[in-house]
């Protein structure tokens, strides 16, 4: 447990920098800032967007021996990649288009002071190399120059990015991360500081009442409960924004549950924290497994069907039925009594058309339906052309010479049938 005098200094610092709240994690972050301030150790402040990370480097600078030097805050994510090197390290005249004169960078201007690099995780890799050199030996080179310059700057960085993920993806240098995070100060999100939420809201309400010269707004008990239970994904920044909206737009100073509810985005209300992507990926794993199984089963059935078709085309029907009895029943089910499997291929297969082998043909003699085309007692050496002619003849006979009906039965177009008739002189 920290000493009482140390806790009193924490409270005094929070009051001085207008930090509201008594959460133990918040107090610990402020305490670490106080302890590290007298040194020149690099500090990395982590936490979600809107938790107030910008307060920590101000505390560190104000309590350090550099407090009389310059303090410069730089939002690395707001500077275009093409100009950030010039902003941080300066440039020489004519070093690039538009460089009409020599310019001092932030590291040169803040010599002897402190630089706060906000959103440091957004720095380009080339700039990260330059920053690493400053951290290691205090040296930098202006853009377009070959002269090495020295600077004595304390660097405090902040980010809301998961740095280990960024390192793994190659977006941030591991050696730079460990140089920046000699001391890591983490600020908790607002949803983990439930006892501080109403305190912050009352502070914001009083500030806006003074700013806009009107009575401060107050929440009823039900509204307070909603305020505390809400997720606040935007943290303190979002809470402040809501307090300002209500202060300006509402005529009544007593705010009810329904009124507060109308100012809160509903898609974020009372939702649990998302802990990474593993959960979302597992949600789809079962569906993928089922889909893969269906596809593999379809592929297996298709291969079996191709195998059976090929054997029907190449071997005698009795031999095929005996050798593939199980396979035939798997694909077509148990065949009807007295049904036979035809050895000759359908005309569609000879014409490069994909049609099922199984099809019912009407027999003129006994008017019975068969699973396959009629059996032709011909030798196995009968050519494919002769079989094709035979099928066309029988179809034309069954349909009394009607070409359209015969073509539909054979599964080919009427134009193709006409060409075959002309080709074989039928």
């Amino acid at each position: 447990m920290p000493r009482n005098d140390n806790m009193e200094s924490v409270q005094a610092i929070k009051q001085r920098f207008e930090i509201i709240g008594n959460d133990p994690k918040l107090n610990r972050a402020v305490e670490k800032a106080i302890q590290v301030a007298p040194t020149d150790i690099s500090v990395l402040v982590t936490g979600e967007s809107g938790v107030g990370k910008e307060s920590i480097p101000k505390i560190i600078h104000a309590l350090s021996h550099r407090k009389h030097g310059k303090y410069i805050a730089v939002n690395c994510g707001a500077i275009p990649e093409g100009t950030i090197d010039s902003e941080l390290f300066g440039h020489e005249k004519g070093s690039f288009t538009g460089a009409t004169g020599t310019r001092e960078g932030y590291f040169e201007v803040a010599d002897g002071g402190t630089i706060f690099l906000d959103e440091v995780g957004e720095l380009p890799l080339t700039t990260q190399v330059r920053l690493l050199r400053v951290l290691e030996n205090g040296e930098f080179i202006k853009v377009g120059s070959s002269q090495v310059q020295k600077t004595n700057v304390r660097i405090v960085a902040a980010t809301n990015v998961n740095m280990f993920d960024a390192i793994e993806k190659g977006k941030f240098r591991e050696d730079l991360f460990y140089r920046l995070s000699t001391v890591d100060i983490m600020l908790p999100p607002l949803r983990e500081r439930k006892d501080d939420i109403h305190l912050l809201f009352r502070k914001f309400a009083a500030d806006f009442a003074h700013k806009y010269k009107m009575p401060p707004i107050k929440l009823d008990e039900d509204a307070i409960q909603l305020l505390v239970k809400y997720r606040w994904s935007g943290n303190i920044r979002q809470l402040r924004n809501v307090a300002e909206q209500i202060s300006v737009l509402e005529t009544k100073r007593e705010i009810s549950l329904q009124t507060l509810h109308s100012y809160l985005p509903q898609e974020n209300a009372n939702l649990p924290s998302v802990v990474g992507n593993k959960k979302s990926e597992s949600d789809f794993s079962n569906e993928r497994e089922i889909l893969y199984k269906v596809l593999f089963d379809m592929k297996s059935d298709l291969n079996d069907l191709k195998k059976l078709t090929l054997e029907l085309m190449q071997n005698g029907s009795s031999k095929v039925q005996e050798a593939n009895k199980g396979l035939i029943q798997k694909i077509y089910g148990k065949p009807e009594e007295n049904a036979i499997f035809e050895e000759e291929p359908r005309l569609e297969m000879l014409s490069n058309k994909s049609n099922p082998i199984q099809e019912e043909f009407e027999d003129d003699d006994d008017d019975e339906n068969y699973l396959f085309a009629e059996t032709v007692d011909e030798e196995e050496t009968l050519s494919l052309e002769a079989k094709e002619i035979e099928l066309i003849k029988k179809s034309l006979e069954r349909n009394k010479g009607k070409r359209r009906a015969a073509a539909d039965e054979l599964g080919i177009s009427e134009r193709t049938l006409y060409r075959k008739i002309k080709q074989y002189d039928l």
Side-chain angles (χ1 to χ4, degrees):
M1 291 292 293
R3 300 193 312 269
N4 290 334
D5 57 345
N6 190 38
M7 288 302 299
E8 290 175 359
S9 65
V10 169
Q11 296 299 331
I13 291 300
K14 289 197 299 183
Q15 185 176 2
R16 175 179 171 184
F17 289 90
E18 297 184 344
I19 299 175
I20 308 298
N22 295 307
D23 182 79
K25 293 181 180 178
L26 175 66
N27 289 338
R28 178 55 181 158
V30 175
E31 183 181 4
K32 289 174 72 174
I34 295 172
Q35 291 174 338
V36 78
T39 71
D40 280 334
I41 296 176
S42 298
V43 178
L44 180 64
V45 186
T46 59
E48 296 180 5
S49 178
V51 295
K53 296 188 292 292
E54 64 280 356
S55 298
I56 298 299
K58 291 179 181 178
I59 294 173
I60 293 174
H61 177 72
L63 300 181
S64 71
H65 62 87
R66 300 173 180 271
K67 60 184 178 181
H68 299 297
K70 289 191 176 182
Y71 172 81
I72 297 179
V74 183
N75 189 333
C76 301
I79 304 175
E81 182 175 347
T83 61
I84 191 166
D85 285 353
S86 173
E87 293 289 323
L88 293 177
F89 308 106
H91 64 256
E92 294 290 344
K93 179 180 179 180
S95 57
F96 55 86
T97 303
T100 57
T102 301
R103 181 185 183 279
E104 293 182 345
Y106 295 136
F107 280 98
E108 187 174 358
V109 174
D111 188 18
T114 304
I115 286 185
F116 171 44
L117 298 177
D118 196 9
E119 305 299 341
V120 72
E122 304 296 330
L123 281 176
L125 289 172
T126 54
T127 307
Q128 293 178 32
V129 176
R130 288 173 173 264
L131 180 59
L132 181 62
R133 184 176 183 181
V134 174
L135 284 166
E136 288 179 342
N137 49 35
E139 296 179 351
F140 69 94
I141 301 176
K142 287 184 177 182
V143 177
S145 174
S146 58
Q147 181 181 356
V148 177
Q149 294 183 237
K150 299 283 288 187
T151 184
N152 180 18
V153 173
R154 170 78 171 275
I155 296 177
V156 180
T159 182
N160 59 4
V161 175
N162 187 321
M163 298 301 284
F164 293 104
D165 287 346
I167 292 170
E168 185 176 353
K169 294 175 182 178
K171 296 182 178 180
F172 202 85
R173 294 178 61 95
E174 186 175 9
D175 49 1
L176 176 59
F177 167 71
Y178 288 114
R179 288 305 301 266
L180 287 172
S181 60
T182 306
V183 173
D184 188 357
I185 299 178
M186 192 278 292
L187 287 175
L190 191 57
R191 61 181 171 275
E192 296 180 6
R193 301 169 49 193
K194 293 187 180 297
D195 293 339
D196 294 343
I197 294 176
H198 192 211
L199 288 174
L200 284 164
F201 186 88
R202 289 167 55 190
K203 172 64 167 61
F204 294 146
D207 290 344
F208 293 127
H210 177 75
K211 179 179 179 180
Y212 298 115
K213 296 179 174 55
M214 58 177 65
I217 56 175
K218 295 181 180 179
L219 303 178
D220 63 20
E221 288 301 321
D222 292 335
I224 292 174
Q225 293 300 317
L226 174 61
L227 187 81
V228 172
K229 292 180 179 179
Y230 191 70
R231 175 174 168 76
W232 299 110
S233 56
N235 294 292
I236 298 174
R237 187 181 294 119
Q238 183 185 11
L239 180 66
R240 185 179 187 278
N241 181 270
V242 170
E244 185 171 18
Q245 288 185 60
I246 298 175
S247 297
V248 173
L249 298 179
E250 293 299 321
T251 55
K252 295 182 179 179
R253 299 289 90 182
E254 185 77 17
I255 305 303
S256 65
L257 172 66
Q258 291 76 14
T259 301
L260 177 61
H261 195 275
S262 65
Y263 286 91
L264 302 180
Q266 297 308 306
E267 63 272 15
N268 294 331
N270 298 325
L271 291 179
S273 175
V274 178
V275 183
N277 297 328
K278 293 184 179 179
K279 181 69 170 65
S280 60
E281 290 176 359
S282 63
D283 290 341
F284 298 99
S285 60
N286 292 336
E287 294 183 14
R288 285 200 300 266
E289 290 176 2
I290 293 172
L291 180 59
Y292 289 153
K293 186 178 185 303
V294 171
L295 291 175
F296 284 134
D297 289 344
M298 290 176 63
K299 181 179 179 180
S300 177
D301 290 344
L302 183 59
N303 289 335
D304 292 343
L305 185 60
K306 288 180 178 179
K307 177 183 177 183
L308 179 60
T309 303
L310 180 62
E311 292 183 354
L312 283 170
M313 295 175 65
Q314 294 178 347
N315 303 302
S317 62
S318 60
K319 181 180 178 181
V320 173
Q321 291 183 69
E322 183 66 25
N324 296 279
K325 183 177 180 180
L327 180 60
I328 292 170
Q329 290 186 4
K330 176 184 175 183
I331 299 177
Y332 299 108
K334 188 174 181 180
E336 296 290 335
E337 188 175 0
N338 298 327
I340 57 176
F341 291 87
E342 179 52 50
E343 63 182 307
E344 64 182 22
R346 290 291 312 275
L347 179 60
E348 304 85 358
M349 305 174 82
L350 301 178
S351 303
N352 294 325
K353 293 180 176 291
S354 60
N355 291 281
I357 296 177
Q358 182 179 355
E359 185 171 349
E360 294 183 346
F361 281 81
E362 182 178 356
D363 193 312
D364 293 335
D365 296 332
D366 52 11
D367 195 27
E368 291 182 358
N369 293 330
Y370 290 86
L371 292 173
F372 294 93
E374 296 175 325
T375 304
V376 181
D377 296 327
E378 296 179 352
E379 297 293 331
E380 290 184 2
T381 56
L382 187 64
S383 67
L384 294 178
E385 182 178 299
K387 290 187 177 184
E388 187 174 22
I389 293 172
E390 186 68 23
L391 284 174
I392 294 174
K393 283 182 178 180
K394 289 186 177 183
S395 181
L396 288 171
E397 289 174 1
R398 278 194 293 270
N399 292 281
K400 299 179 180 180
K402 295 179 180 180
R403 295 175 182 173
R404 176 172 296 180
D408 291 340
E409 183 182 66
L410 294 169
I412 60 177
S413 66
E414 187 176 357
R415 182 177 179 182
T416 300
L417 178 60
Y418 179 79
R419 179 171 57 80
K420 295 286 185 181
I421 292 173
K422 187 175 180 180
Q423 177 184 348
Y424 300 135
D425 194 19
L426 300 179

